[in-house]
Amino acid sequence: MRSILITGGNGGLGLGIGRYFLEKDPDARVWLGVRSRRDKAEALAGEFGDRCKLVDLEVTSSEAWEAAVGRIVEEDGGIDVLVNNAGMHRDGLLATMDDEAWSSVVSSNLDSVFLGCRAVIRPMMSKRFGRIINIASLSAVLPPLGQTNYAAAKAGVVALTRTLAKEVGRSGITVNALMPGYIETEALSDMDPEAAKRAKAGIPMRRFGKPEEVAAAVFFLACQDAGYVTGSALKIDGGIY
């Protein structure tokens, strides 16, 4: 059995990653970290019974991380894979951005990754095995206007990933980041049709990515065969950058 924790387990990308593990790996036991809006996560858990469970997780709280990881370790005997997927946008120009818009985005996208990585390192070290996959964003290297907070946080995720990979490599733990571009999730659902058309025109593949295409990369980085891949930041963007 492989124990996998996915944060943001109630969103399109988190659910897509969870489903991919459950369908591709019969030994996978997926924990969906959720704070609210649990209906879709509960529906996925209902499909796979005891192989998929929900765990309460406020990703910006150290205490919540310790409780969630403690429960998983108690029930599964350890934790093998952490997918730091939770995050949020609050776009706006820096000149008019208030303190809360900055701090909330940095906290949910970067602090959460720090807290999650710290919470799983010791259980993974005790097994001398672990896979950490941090979901960053193409905005980390190709930020659009109005995303100073989000781009800074995601760039921080990439830097954290590369540094942590050096710290834990000798313990059999790999740490990698993914930088998705436009992916068909709820984050794009409110995009104006003309804006979507312009965005696709700027993508060499002329389409948005699918959650399962990101999930496939997560699945590879989490497998035994990816044991020599660490400190990487893989873009999944249809060739934009």
Side-chain angles (χ1 to χ4, degrees), residues 31-167:
W31 294 82
L32 300 172
V34 295
R35 183 187 63 179
S36 59
R37 297 188 297 111
R38 305 166 67 95
D39 52 332
K40 292 181 180 179
E42 288 172 344
L44 182 63
E47 286 186 50
F48 291 92
D50 198 47
R51 291 182 57 216
C52 183
K53 289 188 174 183
L54 276 62
V55 60
D56 291 329
L57 183 53
E58 167 49 72
V59 294
T60 61
S61 164
S62 177
E63 292 78 12
W65 269 107
E66 294 301 326
V69 172
R71 178 187 168 193
I72 294 168
V73 170
E74 182 179 356
E75 292 196 25
D76 290 356
I79 183 167
D80 300 297
V81 180
L82 169 63
V83 184
N84 277 311
N85 167 68
M88 62 175 284
H89 286 264
R90 283 190 64 182
D91 296 352
L93 297 177
L94 185 142
T96 56
M97 184 178 294
D98 60 39
D99 293 354
E100 203 275 330
W102 172 271
S103 60
S104 63
V105 169
V106 171
S107 181
S108 64
N109 289 285
L110 179 56
D111 293 351
S112 63
V113 174
F114 158 68
L115 294 171
C117 290
R118 188 177 65 178
V120 302
I121 286 298
R122 287 185 181 178
M124 287 181 174
M125 282 179 139
S126 69
K127 297 180 70 173
R128 298 200 66 80
F129 177 86
R131 299 285 187 263
I132 297 173
I133 299 101
N134 297 323
I135 307 299
S137 168
L138 192 64
S139 292
V141 292
L142 191 66
L145 294 172
Q147 280 197 349
T148 50
N149 50 2
Y150 184 76
K154 292 301 189 180
V157 169
V158 172
L160 182 154
T161 296
R162 289 173 169 157
T163 306
L164 182 59
K166 294 179 179 180
E167 295 180 4

